[in-house]
Amino acid sequence: QVTDTLAKESPSSPSYDWFQTDSLVTIVIYTKQKDINLDSVIVDHRDDSFRAETVIKDYSYLVHVALSHEIQEDFSVLVVENVGKIEIVLKKKENTSWKRLGHPQENHNSIIPKKDTGLFYRKCQLVSKEDVTHDTKLFCLMLPLSTHLQVPVGQHVYLKLPITGTEIVKPYTPVSHSLFSEFKEPVLPNNIYIYFLIKIYPAGFFTPELDHLQIGDYVSVSNPEGNFIISQLQELEDLFLLAAGTGFTPMVKVLNYALTNIPSLRKVKLMFFNKTEDDIIWRSQLEKLAFKDKRFEVEFVLSAPTSEWSGKQGYISPALLSEYLKRSSDASKVLICLCGPTPFTEQGVKMLHDLNFSKDEIHSFTA
Ligand code: FAD
Ligand code: NAD
């Protein structure tokens, strides 16, 4: 039924096929869409269950089967972008001929609105944890070999932990390993590490538990979500990033991506709001980047500075924004991204509207 509904809305719905050699089984998904890349498909296999979710705009197309034979843990994913074809190459455990791929599981071979798919989780191992500020840490999680998942720029995932007998989930935004990480498309295949900058709130519900994990312990990680689309950066000339506290996290990949992949880009300005100097995440990396790449500028604004602070002070304000948000030319294509505590983001968006920036020129990161 759902397939029928979509068929009416879109001229071509996805389909799949499979074929085999002695040692391999290849599943081919024909999305019939052009803007498909390695971020678009999320693959998991666990025991005999195989699940490939292809994200096509606001829909998910699922190939979901209980495989008829055993396969090895690792597999490869290839995307032929110009025809929207995805190939998933599985390695057979035994060189026997398969009569069928497997038994269909829930929603197999159907296309459903993404909001109705529910979040799918896999267990990831904590590989390292490094102090970044007095209360913020860089966590590195390793995806299982039996998963292919790349979090698109500007999107977040949910982390899940059992806390006092209940499963608790909270959203977090993956970052690059550092501001100087290579960021060329397509992102390296087999990118099995996911990094997070997470502030630990001593009185918080979730983060103290996360902080108590030992290296080698597991956390469940969901499929990505979020409404930022990378095409918002195409042909951009001025990128302004307004981040408060850990609201810096979505800016990391946006910044790296824009500086590496957007040739039209002239200026990237980050206005980074924190309480004190000690709260500034990756300050020296930001300063180094500004030194190295003349297109990039950073301004720190503190709401509770010590008397020695000679830089900008206060909360987000119309005065700060009008001074800071200068287009490099009257007609330049601009995007302003905001992220931080809800009052920061809400007030910021309102101030930007008052400064005559249009809706299309503003992206706020929220849940
Ligand atoms: P909570 O239990 O939610 O408490 C947080 C703080 O509020 C604590 O200081 C607590 O004492 C206080 N508090 C709790 N309840 C009350 C109350 N009723 N009145 C007054 N104070 C109260 N965070 C990151 O660090 N990194 C990220 O990359 C990141 N990405 C995010 C992405 C999205 C889309 C969203 C929506 C949020 C993101 N966050 C991120 C925030 C994250 O999801 C959690 O909200 C955060 O980690 C706090 O979780 P917690 O359970 O430890 O704290
Ligand atoms: P924080 O308490 O350290 O505050 C950082 C700065 O935010 C302050 O210095 C101030 O300039 C500004 N600020 C705080 N409260 C304000 C208010 N009431 N009005 C105007 N400005 C205010 O911030 P934190 O503890 O790092 O929290 C970061 C917030 O960002 C969290 O609420 C988190 O949920 C959110 N966040 C959201 C996303 C997302 O939606 N995608 C991603 C990451 C973080």
Side-chain angles (χ1 to χ4, degrees), residues 162-226:
I163 300 177
T164 56
T166 316
E167 297 209 301
I168 306 296
V169 303
K170 292 262 170 153
Y172 294 93
T173 315
V175 294
S176 328
H177 165 248
S178 84
L179 282 179
F180 300 96
S181 306
E182 278 296 307
F183 205 104
K184 296 256 185 269
E185 286 289 318
V187 184
L188 286 176
N190 307 323
N191 211 343
I192 58 169
Y193 299 110
I194 310 188
Y195 295 89
F196 296 93
L197 283 165
I198 298 180
K199 181 181 282 195
I200 311 298
Y201 298 89
F205 195 47
F206 190 80
T207 49
E209 294 291 327
L210 198 64
D211 195 28
H212 288 146
L213 293 180
Q214 304 293 312
I215 303 303
D217 284 351
Y218 287 90
V219 190
S220 296
V221 177
S222 78
N223 286 5
E225 274 200 346

Side-chain angles (χ1 to χ4, degrees), residues 78-105:
L78 302 150
V79 172
V80 187
E81 293 197 13
N82 53 356
V83 291
K85 185 172 87 167
I86 298 164
E87 288 186 3
I88 305 164
V89 186
L90 311 176
K91 298 177 190 161
K92 293 179 178 176
K93 255 204 180 142
E94 284 167 18
N95 290 358
T96 47
S97 172
W98 294 19
K99 294 212 166 46
R100 54 191 298 184
L101 182 63
H103 292 285
Q105 303 287 293

Side-chain angles (χ1 to χ4, degrees), residues 199 201 244-246 249 273-275 303 315 339-341 343 347 365-366:
K199 181 181 282 195
Y201 298 89
T246 57
T249 54
F273 296 81
N274 284 281
K275 293 188 293 254
S303 58
Y315 272 10
C339 189
Q347 290 165 26
F365 290 93
T366 51

